[in-house]
Amino acid sequence: MDQRLLTFRLLQVFRQVVQHGSITAASRALHLTQPTVSLQLKKLSDAVGTPLVDYQQQKLQLTAAGELLYQAAQDIDERLSELRFQLSQQQSGSIGSISLAVVNTAQYLLPELLAAFYQDYPAVQVTLHIGNRARILERFEQQQDHLYLFSHPPSGDHVHAKPVVRNPLYLVAPLTHWAAKQSKLSFKQLKTERFLLREPGSATRMIFDTWLSSQAIELAHSMQIETNEAIRLSVSAGLGLAVLSAHTLQLPHDRLVILPVQGFPLSSHWYLVRHTNKRLPPAAVRLQQFIEQSLAKWHDPLGV
């Protein structure tokens, strides 16, 4: 068999001849003349290297080779139909693969969001990368992912950043702390306390540092801890106070209390970010729209 001579058109003509049982009927279905259909059938037989049909009692019959080719032609047609459907689904964003990178704090926001997304788009595959801001910035600059979630987005002409949800930052203390019993506090009453801080470059740390600077306040004691989870546990254990995103708090299970400090919560937002030089596939566009629409309905559950 000379595969170079096989074409989809020849296979289509062959299927029509078999399904209609005659060249005459196939020519009508294909809107071709009988000689044209006969010629196409001969070309296909020559490509395969053996006759595909014969006539018994003036009735068209498939040879053994014709049976095999017809089955193969059916398989090809079904696979092409499947491919057409998959391409349609891909172009609509219903299937595909997406890479999403988020800074550490966003891991508390994403599980419920992705679970809802998968209910609507179960065939889309999302790979989630979580890291500190420096690591996610590096991934962004290298265009390793389709979408990013930052609470302090990068800047530049290559950045498309859209605020998608509020990210209020609360000052929290252990339940047993003296300030937990107060109805109103000034931060100056707390400035001698030990504060548990994220690493430099963290968005929460940057916002808190900016606020301290605007108030001309210097902390007397601080301790750096690299994850929000460790900070939450440390505050609960009585190690110090901390400023944390509302999205990371799980009250009352944390055994923490939000302190009613003047000027808090600090205002912040989450931003959905993409690199303008990286084209978004349809599935990523779907996820982008889903995140924007879902987070637009978010309300601060703490409401303090």
Side-chain angles (χ1 to χ4, degrees), residues 51-271:
L52 302 174
V53 299
D54 60 21
Y55 290 89
Q56 296 180 9
Q57 299 178 347
Q58 297 184 335
K59 185 177 180 182
L60 184 142
Q61 298 286 338
L62 288 175
T63 63
E67 291 278 4
L68 292 174
L69 182 63
Y70 180 70
Q71 184 58 58
Q74 289 289 86
D75 292 343
I76 292 171
D77 188 56
E78 289 174 8
R79 186 64 187 92
L80 288 175
S81 295
E82 182 182 346
L83 176 60
R84 281 191 292 271
F85 174 76
Q86 289 175 337
L87 289 174
S88 173
Q89 293 288 93
Q90 185 182 59
Q91 290 165 3
S92 71
S94 298
I95 63 172
S97 298
I98 308 168
S99 184
L100 174 65
V102 304
V103 291
N104 286 319
T105 314
Q107 65 183 299
Y108 301 95
L109 185 67
L110 262 295
E112 185 175 345
L113 198 63
L114 290 179
F117 179 75
Y118 270 126
Q119 288 182 351
D120 292 342
Y121 303 100
V124 175
Q125 296 181 345
V126 180
T127 301
L128 181 62
H129 302 275
I130 301 172
N132 62 25
R133 185 171 182 273
R135 176 63 184 132
I136 302 305
L137 275 174
E138 182 182 350
R139 294 186 65 90
F140 173 81
E141 293 299 336
Q142 295 174 357
Q143 303 181 45
Q144 294 184 30
D145 311 283
H146 297 110
L147 296 169
Y148 303 82
L149 265 179
F150 285 97
S151 52
H152 189 80
S155 58
D157 294 339
H158 61 296
V159 178
H160 181 276
K162 180 177 181 179
V164 288
V165 66
R166 288 182 60 246
N167 180 38
L169 305 178
Y170 289 96
L171 206 163
V172 297
L175 285 173
T176 56
H177 194 274
W178 64 266
K181 301 182 179 67
Q182 306 300 309
S183 59
K184 188 176 181 181
L185 287 164
S186 164
F187 191 88
K188 290 183 179 180
Q189 296 174 260
L190 302 170
K191 69 177 186 177
T192 58
E193 298 284 332
R194 181 190 296 112
F195 278 80
L196 310 182
L197 306 174
R198 287 289 304 275
E199 72 281 1
S202 157
T204 301
R205 173 77 176 268
M206 293 166 67
I207 293 169
F208 186 35
D209 283 348
T210 299
W211 184 84
L212 290 172
S213 178
S214 73
Q215 303 297 310
I217 295 173
E218 271 190 44
L219 300 178
H221 306 287
S222 65
M223 178 178 178
Q224 184 174 306
I225 301 178
E226 289 190 355
T227 70
N228 293 298
E229 187 72 16
I231 289 177
R232 282 172 48 215
L233 293 173
S234 298
V235 173
S236 180
L239 188 57
L241 309 184
V243 173
L244 289 173
S245 163
H247 297 284
T248 70
L249 298 174
Q250 300 175 8
L251 302 178
H253 307 293
D254 285 338
R255 295 184 57 78
L256 304 176
V257 63
I258 293 173
L259 298 181
V261 178
Q262 185 177 357
F264 282 79
L266 301 181
S267 179
S268 176
H269 280 82
W270 283 106
Y271 292 81

Side-chain angles (χ1 to χ4, degrees), residues 262-286:
Q262 185 177 357
F264 282 79
L266 301 181
S267 179
S268 176
H269 280 82
W270 283 106
Y271 292 81
L272 188 60
V273 177
R274 64 177 177 84
H275 200 295
T276 57
N277 293 337
K278 189 175 181 69
R279 176 185 169 275
L280 291 186
V285 174
R286 283 283 188 187

